[in-house]
Amino acid sequence: MEYMSVKEAAERWGISERYVQRYCIEGHIEGASKFGGAWTIPLDAQKPADMRKSAQKAAKNLTPDDNINAEAQQKLKIAMPLMNTPYPLGGALSAAESIEDEDLRSIALAEYYYFSGQSAKSSDIAEEYLAHSDIALRLSACWLYAYANLTLDRIPRARQAMNQVLATVKNLDESTPDVYRAYAVCISAGVCVLLHLPLPENLPPVKECISFLPAGFRLLALYVQAHYAYLQKQYGACVGIAETALTLEQQLYQIPTIYLHLVATMGYINLRQSEQAKEHLLAAWKIAQPDDIIEPFGEHHGLLGGVLEAVMRKDYPKDFRRIIDITYNFSAGWRKIHNKDTGHNFADDLTTTEFTIAMLAARGWSNKEISAHLNISTNTVKMHISSVLQQLDIPQRKDLAQFMLK
C-alpha cells in the first residue's frame, strides 16, 4: 500500500496540516498510523467530512424548538468538571473548591480525592450522586465510585456502579443531548478499556463522539482510544494518538494530560524505546507531583514495563512506595473483576518487581535488556524469573504470557 504525509494530505484536501493531524488522532482517517514522529496516511484515503461545516449547517437550520433546546444546552452539567478545568500546578484542590455550582463542586472534590489517592473520601461523595437525574453528574459519580471501590476492595459496589454506567448507554434516546450521549459512550468505553474488558457490542465508536465533548474530556477520550489501540497491540497507533493529542493541546488540562503521558509510556516501552518512555513518565510526574495526583500511576503500574522502577525508585523513594501501595490495592480489585469476567488468570500473588520482570520477559525482553532497563544485575533478573515460574507452576519462560497483562 502507498502512503502520503500529513503535508501531502493537507495539500490534496485543501485543509490545514493541523486539521489532518486532528482527523488522524480522532480516528476519522481509516488506516492512518504514526511511525516515528510522523503520521502516514493511505494514498487512497478519502477526506473526512468537515465537522465545522456540519455544525454550522445544523445551526442555520434550527427551528424555534431547536433554539429552545440550544438555550437549554447552555445549562447542561459538565461531566468530570475538575478534569475539564485547566488549573495552575498546585491548584487542583483550590480549583475544585472554587466551582460555584454546588453539585459540580462536589463531583470535582470527589475527583480530587480519588486522583490524589483518597479513595474513601471520593467514594463517600460520589455515592450521593449515583442515582442523580442529571446524566453527567450520575456518570461522573458512577465512574469515580467504581474505581474508588476497586481500590477499597469493595467489589460488589464497584461492579454495581460499572453496570449502571453501561445501562445508561442503553437507555439513551433521541431527546438526549449530544454531549450527554458522548459522555455516556466515552465513560462506558473507558470503564471497559481500563479493565481490559470487551466493549459492549452496541456501543458506538468513541471517535464519533469526540467532537461533542469539552476540551478536557476530549483529551480523556483520546486517552481511551490510545489505550484501546494498545490493547490491540497497535503500539505505533497508541503512541501516535497520545503524542498528537499532547501536541495539539492548547491549554494544560492536567489530569487527562497525565493519562496521555502514561499511555504514551506504555506504547513506547512496548516499542522498546525506553528513553521516550522515561521522558513521558517524567512529564506525567512533573504535572502530577504539585497536586499529589498519584492514583493514575498506581492504576497503570503493571502496564508501564518497569519505567516507574527505573525512573522513580531512586529519585522519589517515598512517592514510589506510595504508588506501589496503590498498585497492590487497585490491581487486586482490578483482577477480581477482570479475571472473573474474562476467564483469564492474571498473576495474583507476585510482588510488583516480579510482575514487572515477568511482563517484560513475556514480551520477549532478554535478561540483559531487563537488567539494563531496571538497572539491576542479570543474576537478579534470573532469580526473579525463577521465582515467578515456580509460583505460577509453569515450566518455561514462554508460558508467562498467559498470566501477564496484554
Side-chain angles (χ1 to χ4, degrees):
M1 179 181 289
E2 295 184 78
Y3 293 90
M4 57 183 167
S5 66
V6 167
K7 182 178 180 181
E8 291 168 334
E11 292 173 350
R12 175 176 293 193
W13 296 337
I15 59 178
S16 70
E17 293 181 31
R18 185 182 183 88
Y19 263 91
V20 175
Q21 289 180 317
R22 179 172 173 182
Y23 286 140
C24 286
I25 65 171
E26 292 182 0
H28 296 301
I29 302 177
E30 187 172 352
S33 300
K34 195 169 187 182
F35 296 96
W39 285 96
T40 57
I41 300 166
L43 195 60
D44 59 356
Q46 299 298 308
K47 176 186 176 182
D50 191 327
M51 297 289 191
R52 295 171 300 170
K53 291 182 179 179
S54 299
Q56 291 166 359
K57 182 177 179 181
K60 290 179 180 177
N61 293 327
L62 284 175
T63 65
D65 286 343
D66 289 328
N67 281 317
I68 293 174
N69 290 336
E71 291 176 8
Q73 289 199 19
Q74 298 298 317
K75 301 178 181 179
L76 297 179
K77 303 290 187 182
I78 297 176
M80 304 295 281
L82 185 59
M83 190 171 290
N84 279 287
T85 301
Y87 52 81
L89 295 180
L93 180 57
S94 297
E97 291 174 336
S98 64
I99 294 175
E100 293 184 6
D101 183 287
E102 181 179 355
D103 294 323
L104 291 178
R105 183 168 63 251
S106 293
I107 294 295
L109 286 169
E111 289 178 80
Y112 171 75
Y113 289 133
Y114 173 72
F115 293 123
S116 61
Q118 304 177 70
S119 291
K121 287 185 178 180
S122 177
S123 175
D124 288 345
I125 296 174
E127 189 171 19
E128 299 178 13
Y129 289 86
L130 294 178
H132 201 281
S133 59
D134 184 271
I135 292 176
L137 295 175
R138 185 170 72 248
L139 284 169
S140 300
C142 286
W143 199 0
L144 292 164
Y145 189 80
Y147 279 88
N149 281 285
L150 278 182
T151 300
L152 296 168
D153 198 27
R154 301 169 180 170
I155 306 307
R157 297 188 190 187
R159 188 180 292 279
Q160 178 185 5
M162 289 168 49
N163 290 339
Q164 194 167 337
V165 167
L166 299 177
T168 299
V169 178
K170 296 179 182 179
N171 295 327
L172 299 176
D173 56 37
E174 294 181 358
S175 67
T176 305
D178 287 333
V179 67
Y180 278 11
R181 186 182 304 275
Y183 287 147
V185 170
C186 291
I187 291 178
S188 295
V191 164
C192 295
V193 167
L194 270 67
L195 283 167
H196 296 193
L197 301 175
L199 295 175
E201 290 184 5
N202 297 324
L203 188 71
V206 171
K207 66 182 181 182
E208 294 181 1
C209 304
I210 287 178
S211 60
F212 297 107
L213 295 167
F217 208 105
R218 189 181 307 135
L219 293 173
L220 184 72
L222 291 170
Y223 157 81
V224 171
Q225 280 196 292
H227 199 137
Y228 185 73
Y230 169 90
L231 294 180
Q232 305 306 306
K233 299 185 178 180
Q234 299 171 3
Y235 304 126
C238 166
V239 166
I241 293 169
E243 288 275 25
T244 309
L246 290 166
T247 300
L248 296 180
E249 187 179 2
Q250 295 181 343
Q251 283 185 290
L252 178 60
Y253 292 87
Q254 283 82 344
I255 295 172
T257 299
I258 291 167
Y259 277 87
L260 283 167
H261 279 300
L262 291 176
V263 80
T265 303
M266 291 159 45
Y268 273 123
I269 203 63
N270 280 279
L271 293 171
R272 301 200 183 193
Q273 298 180 30
S274 295
E275 291 309 309
Q276 290 91 329
K278 291 174 183 178
E279 287 175 8
H280 277 282
L281 192 285
L282 281 172
W285 183 243
K286 182 178 179 181
I287 297 169
Q289 188 180 27
D291 292 289
D292 201 30
I293 305 301
I294 199 168
E295 187 77 24
F297 296 84
E299 290 176 357
H300 290 80
H301 174 274
L303 303 172
L304 295 174
V307 182
L308 266 171
E309 281 78 1
V311 170
M312 295 190 64
R313 189 199 299 269
K314 179 181 177 181
D315 293 336
Y316 305 95
K318 291 182 179 179
D319 295 309
F320 178 77
R321 285 195 292 272
R322 287 183 60 211
I323 290 171
I324 295 304
D325 287 341
I326 290 171
T327 298
Y328 278 122
N329 293 331
F330 182 86
S331 60
W334 188 98
R335 286 191 299 268
K336 287 178 181 177
I337 287 183
H338 176 91
N339 290 2
K340 183 176 181 180
D341 287 7
T342 65
H344 295 158
N345 186 30
F346 288 149
D348 215 353
D349 297 322
L350 304 182
T351 68
T352 54
T353 299
E354 290 172 336
F355 192 91
T356 295
I357 291 173
M359 280 280 288
L360 295 171
R363 294 180 178 181
W365 289 51
S366 69
N367 289 351
K368 185 177 180 180
E369 289 173 322
I370 296 172
S371 68
H373 176 55
L374 297 179
N375 195 28
I376 57 178
S377 71
T378 53
N379 285 335
T380 300
V381 175
K382 291 178 183 178
M383 179 188 69
H384 281 302
I385 290 178
S386 295
S387 174
V388 169
L389 295 177
Q390 184 176 9
Q391 290 180 67
L392 297 179
D393 194 25
I394 53 178
Q396 300 182 63
R397 187 187 187 109
K398 67 180 183 179
D399 299 319
L400 284 171
Q402 63 185 301
F403 295 95
M404 298 294 108
L405 294 171
K406 304 304 184 211

